[in-house]
Amino acid sequence: MRRGGTIKVMQTYLPLNDGYRMPALGFGLYKVPADQTEQVVLEGVAAGYLMVDGAEFYANEAEVGKALRSIEVDRSLLTVTSKFWGEDSQDRDAVLASFEATEKALGTVVDVYMIHWPRPQRNQYVDVWRTLIELRDEGRIRSVGVSNFTEAHLQRLIDETGVVPVVNQVELHPYLQQEPLRAFHREHGIVTQAWSPLGRGNVLEDPVIREIAAAHGVTSAQVIIRWHLQLGNSVIPKSAHPGRLASNLDVFGFELSDDDMAAVGALERGQRYGTSPDERQ
């Protein structure tokens, strides 16, 4: 690498239903200021992350692209994602324009491109999905996925297009474990990817999590990330702090016991800290 030192790879991968794979653990860029994004991406890749989760809505994709152009690492090792926002319009021209802006900003093939929200009251997400499939078939997207979709939304995509998303990125943490949705994903070969995997920090001080962390000599965040990985989730914690980026990745040297997993599982309370999929339009 030209910047950030030598990449250290310690990673596990999840198979995708289109024959590709993605790292189980990446890092997210939501609310990372544009003027910090380039450095965060450089530091994340240098630390050993191989998945960078971005989106049109995050307003920092040009900086992601700048970082990607300044690192020397085999591009095939990296998974770069983005998402179509679609608040102003969801018609085909809007999807294509948004994707082309992302493609230009990143300066690279998008490995996984997702619909950010179904916006179900607009009743257009199936048409948006068809446009993503076109882009995939043209070779401009490697894999197509979704974010914040429910079982009903996913089933409709499958029924009307025959194409199953490779991933569904949803709010998921110990207080919102989404077991019925995860079961649907398992049935259809969809990777469950957790955004807000730490419950926007609200789960870090939970006494159960703290007790498990103390027993293993790790942080609360490491316990939660490890819990996600052992469930089979993909997980994308976000941090702009180099120390926390490295710490969040350092979760492959310990394992939670069955009792630990059960204790975290018992924390389910149906608590959302973000928007419900049916509420955003």
Side-chain angles (χ1 to χ4, degrees), residues 55-58 83-85 114-118 147-149:
E56 172 190 358
F57 179 67
Y58 302 166
K83 308 175 196 72
F84 167 68
W85 182 238
M114 308 176 214
I115 304 174
H116 207 146
W117 291 91
S147 179
N148 300 300
F149 274 52

Side-chain angles (χ1 to χ4, degrees), residues 165-198:
V166 301
V167 63
N168 186 19
Q169 185 184 111
V170 295
E171 182 180 356
L172 201 157
H173 45 76
Y175 291 170
L176 183 69
Q177 298 182 22
Q178 304 256 40
E179 172 52 32
L181 180 59
R182 289 190 288 119
F184 185 95
H185 290 168
R186 289 192 295 271
E187 180 184 352
H188 292 86
I190 300 169
V191 169
T192 301
Q193 189 170 72
W195 65 257
S196 192
L198 309 178

Side-chain angles (χ1 to χ4, degrees), residues 18-56:
D18 61 0
Y20 292 100
R21 65 179 189 170
M22 68 162 45
L25 178 54
F27 67 99
L29 296 170
Y30 177 51
K31 290 191 175 179
V32 176
D35 62 0
Q36 298 178 30
T37 298
E38 180 185 2
Q39 189 61 33
V40 168
V41 174
L42 292 170
E43 289 167 348
V45 174
Y49 287 95
L50 296 177
M51 180 163 56
V52 181
D53 180 73
E56 172 190 358

Side-chain angles (χ1 to χ4, degrees), residues 94-123:
V95 178
L96 292 174
S98 292
F99 175 75
E100 286 164 3
T102 286
E103 189 178 46
K104 180 178 180 181
L106 293 176
T108 185
V109 171
V110 181
D111 295 302
V112 183
Y113 194 60
M114 308 176 214
I115 304 174
H116 207 146
W117 291 91
R119 305 181 188 274
Q121 291 182 19
R122 301 189 186 194
N123 196 31

Side-chain angles (χ1 to χ4, degrees), residues 7-242:
I7 188 168
K8 301 170 288 184
V9 179
M10 182 175 286
Q11 189 56 271
T12 57
Y13 289 85
L14 299 173
L16 302 180
N17 60 36
D18 61 0
Y20 292 100
R21 65 179 189 170
M22 68 162 45
L25 178 54
F27 67 99
L29 296 170
Y30 177 51
K31 290 191 175 179
V32 176
D35 62 0
Q36 298 178 30
T37 298
E38 180 185 2
Q39 189 61 33
V40 168
V41 174
L42 292 170
E43 289 167 348
V45 174
Y49 287 95
L50 296 177
M51 180 163 56
V52 181
D53 180 73
E56 172 190 358
F57 179 67
Y58 302 166
N60 52 19
E61 290 195 309
E63 291 73 22
V64 176
K66 188 175 180 182
L68 293 174
R69 287 189 292 273
S70 67
I71 57 177
E72 289 181 350
V73 62
D74 184 347
R75 176 64 181 82
S76 68
L77 292 175
L78 294 176
T79 295
V80 179
T81 80
S82 185
K83 308 175 196 72
F84 167 68
W85 182 238
E87 183 173 48
D88 294 330
S89 174
Q90 293 199 308
D91 63 27
R92 185 172 182 277
D93 288 343
V95 178
L96 292 174
S98 292
F99 175 75
E100 286 164 3
T102 286
E103 189 178 46
K104 180 178 180 181
L106 293 176
T108 185
V109 171
V110 181
D111 295 302
V112 183
Y113 194 60
M114 308 176 214
I115 304 174
H116 207 146
W117 291 91
R119 305 181 188 274
Q121 291 182 19
R122 301 189 186 194
N123 196 31
Q124 291 180 284
Y125 62 85
V126 175
D127 290 333
V128 175
W129 185 239
R130 289 193 175 99
T131 304
L132 266 59
I133 294 167
E134 288 179 31
L135 290 165
R136 182 203 62 182
D137 291 347
E138 291 170 2
R140 295 170 71 184
I141 298 169
R142 191 196 72 187
S143 301
V144 287
V146 296
S147 179
N148 300 300
F149 274 52
T150 67
E151 297 100 310
H153 303 145
L154 292 167
Q155 190 65 62
R156 186 174 172 199
L157 291 185
I158 296 166
D159 290 345
E160 296 192 26
T161 72
V163 176
V164 182
V166 301
V167 63
N168 186 19
Q169 185 184 111
V170 295
E171 182 180 356
L172 201 157
H173 45 76
Y175 291 170
L176 183 69
Q177 298 182 22
Q178 304 256 40
E179 172 52 32
L181 180 59
R182 289 190 288 119
F184 185 95
H185 290 168
R186 289 192 295 271
E187 180 184 352
H188 292 86
I190 300 169
V191 169
T192 301
Q193 189 170 72
W195 65 257
S196 192
L198 309 178
R200 294 188 172 170
N202 291 284
V203 189
L204 295 175
E205 298 303 317
D206 188 283
V208 171
I209 300 293
R210 288 173 62 87
E211 182 178 353
I212 295 171
H216 288 276
V218 298
T219 68
S220 292
Q222 288 171 323
V223 167
I224 297 169
I225 292 167
R226 184 70 205 178
W227 171 79
H228 280 285
L229 295 176
Q230 287 183 216
L231 283 179
N233 297 341
S234 174
V235 58
I236 46 169
K238 166 251 174 178
S239 179
H241 187 278

Side-chain angles (χ1 to χ4, degrees), residues 213-279:
H216 288 276
V218 298
T219 68
S220 292
Q222 288 171 323
V223 167
I224 297 169
I225 292 167
R226 184 70 205 178
W227 171 79
H228 280 285
L229 295 176
Q230 287 183 216
L231 283 179
N233 297 341
S234 174
V235 58
I236 46 169
K238 166 251 174 178
S239 179
H241 187 278
R244 283 193 291 273
L245 274 172
S247 176
N248 289 344
L249 187 63
D250 186 18
V251 293
F252 296 98
F254 73 101
E255 186 171 338
L256 300 180
S257 68
D258 291 345
D259 287 345
D260 293 335
M261 293 294 291
V264 179
L267 297 178
E268 165 65 38
R269 59 180 69 172
Q271 174 67 62
R272 286 189 184 274
Y273 295 105
T275 305
S276 169
D278 286 320
E279 292 176 1

